[in-house]
Amino acid sequence: MARTNWKCIVPHNMNHAIQLCKQHALDNKNMSVARIADHLAITTDTLYKWLGNGRIPANHVFAYEQACGISFITEYLAHSQGYLLVKAPTGRKAEHKDLNKLQLYMAQVAAKIIEANEGDCTAQDAIDHIKILMQDLAYQQKNVAAVQVPQTQFDLTS
């Protein structure tokens, strides 16, 4: 079975985002629902209720995403309001393999757009790929800018 490329998944509703987080925790962190519930200091029944009805209290979203190791709920909430979610840049120069992957993904997105225009794939599939590409490009833009600006040193000894 092929490994899931979690970077290329876009949640389409709140229930989908919650389920994707749970699946990521199971696949990548080997965490069952019971272990996630323990991490959140709630009962397993409460977590199953959240998973069943697609609702999670706002004050538990961050802890749930931290336990699962991925932020699909935050991503869905941003996308549903028309925003892109871009991770904070690390301020490092991109390696050649990073740029090659980005260029390959740009070509795949162009192919998805063509497929959508010809009716060979759904518009939502093409839109999801475009969102991911825009986020990747925005990250690289911020990263390039961060590399150009020297980091300020904080002197905590004075």
Side-chain angles (χ1 to χ4, degrees), residues 136-150:
D136 288 348
L137 289 171
Y139 174 81
Q140 290 301 328
Q141 174 200 358
K142 295 282 188 183
N143 210 13
V144 167
V147 169
Q148 301 294 325
V149 177

Side-chain angles (χ1 to χ4, degrees), residues 4 14 27 77 96 115 118 131 136 143 158:
T4 304
M14 186 62 139
D27 291 353
L77 292 172
H96 290 293
E115 288 175 8
E118 293 176 353
K131 283 180 186 176
D136 288 348
N143 210 13
S158 56

Side-chain angles (χ1 to χ4, degrees), residues 3 13 30 54 61 67 91 121 124 131 148 153 157:
R3 290 190 56 132
N13 57 51
N30 200 25
V61 169
C121 80
Q124 186 61 52
K131 283 180 186 176
Q148 301 294 325
Q153 295 288 330
T157 59

